[in-house]
Amino acid sequence: MPAGYRRQLYRDDAVVLRVQKLGESDRIVTLLTRRHGRLRAVARGVRRTSSRFGARLEPFGHIDLQLAGSPEGVGSSLHSVSQVEAVTLFGKSFLTDYPRYTAASAICETAERLTPVEREPALRLFQLTLGALKALAAGEHAGSLVLDAYLLRAMAFAGWAPAIMECAVCGTPGQHAAFAVPAGGAVCPDCRPPGAAHPSPVTLGLMNALTVGDWTFADATEPPVRRECSGLVAAHLQWHMERALRSLPLVDRRELNP
């Protein structure tokens, strides 16, 4: 630690992405904050029954907290949690709902993977993640639809948005019949590579609806269309990430209605 450095206190609000046990009574908490990007912090004593704020530091919660550390990256990368106030603990709404719980897990893992650099502000991703967890807690749409909408918009944040309403190769507008993940999305007949998928037109329509927020169209789709859409979204995401999400195969997509 640099000579003369003293850990400063600062506040931010955050989404809790992940928690890990540390020692007998502590936790390391991975946070996506509004102003300071992804951070890791030690919450001391939160696993004790006498802890004042242990229940507030659970995954999927939106919290306001005070941290000790340097938001500029001076000294240790591990902050300390000194105060926590719950804004909305979304996890309480779906801890017993396996489809929505697994969707929330995939959302938080994606947010962590899309912020590889600590302390790099990612306001758009923070707002997107917070909105997705809020939608899951509200239960107005199927969890699988909320997840796929989040993944499509998160890929746009990362610069990986699949082409849907134009050819990914030549840019010819229109809803094309083939979809090739390595090419970048939908492809026209002239640009279609060998092995391209041929999803139904309704599937590509669903992908577009989830991207732009047309929930009337999305909610009216049938389970086979949703499953095909989910397969394309997952394949496109994992192609660009170059590594599979651990939580994505666990997502339960059997629900038909919210």
Side-chain angles (χ1 to χ4, degrees):
M1 183 178 295
Y5 168 73
R6 184 171 61 185
R7 291 162 71 85
Q8 66 186 85
L9 296 175
Y10 67 98
R11 297 196 74 88
D12 206 341
D13 67 309
V15 171
V16 180
L17 301 181
R18 183 162 58 97
V19 297
Q20 301 165 266
K21 293 180 180 179
L22 179 67
E24 295 184 356
S25 60
D26 305 335
R27 279 180 178 166
I28 295 177
V29 187
T30 301
L31 306 162
L32 181 59
T33 67
R34 183 181 297 273
R35 291 180 290 276
H36 301 96
R38 182 176 59 82
L39 301 173
R40 292 186 310 137
V42 175
R44 303 198 180 279
V46 295
R47 291 165 54 204
R48 298 186 187 129
T49 55
S50 59
S51 172
R52 292 176 299 162
F53 52 76
R56 303 169 197 168
L57 289 172
E58 294 292 339
F60 321 134
H62 180 205
I63 58 175
D64 179 86
L65 73 169
Q66 181 171 271
L67 294 163
S70 170
E72 293 80 22
V74 179
S76 172
S77 64
L78 203 59
H79 293 56
S80 295
V81 177
S82 60
Q83 186 179 10
V84 182
E85 297 295 335
V87 179
T88 309
L89 301 180
F90 296 115
K92 290 183 177 180
S93 301
F94 47 76
L95 284 179
T96 58
D97 186 323
Y98 186 75
R100 287 194 290 161
Y101 179 87
T102 53
S105 299
I107 286 168
C108 288
E109 184 182 354
T110 301
E112 184 174 357
R113 293 278 295 277
L114 292 181
T115 50
V117 180
E118 290 192 2
R119 302 187 181 96
E120 185 171 274
L123 176 60
R124 184 180 168 195
L125 186 63
F126 169 82
Q127 293 173 326
L128 184 63
T129 305
L130 183 59
L133 294 175
K134 186 180 297 185
L136 284 177
E140 296 177 357
H141 311 289
S144 61
L145 292 178
V146 174
L147 171 60
D148 287 337
Y150 174 83
L151 295 179
L152 285 163
R153 298 177 196 186
M155 285 190 281
F157 162 81
W160 306 332
I164 302 171
M165 302 307 293
E166 69 280 332
C167 176
V169 178
C170 68
T172 301
Q175 187 169 300
H176 301 291
F179 191 98
V181 169
V187 286
C188 68
D190 293 336
C191 300
R192 183 180 62 220
H198 291 78
S200 74
V202 181
T203 297
L204 293 176
L206 175 57
M207 292 180 70
N208 186 62
L210 293 175
T211 301
V212 301
D214 184 354
W215 287 102
T216 300
F217 183 100
D219 289 337
T221 54
E222 297 295 326
V225 171
R226 297 182 185 185
R227 287 193 294 269
E228 187 173 45
C229 173
S230 297
L232 294 178
V233 171
H236 194 86
L237 174 70
Q238 294 181 157
W239 170 271
H240 286 281
M241 282 191 168
E242 299 180 348
R243 186 156 54 99
L245 291 175
R246 294 187 303 272
S247 54
L248 205 53
L250 303 177
V251 175
D252 188 336
R253 301 182 183 275
R254 293 174 297 176
E255 58 186 338
L256 304 185
N257 297 297

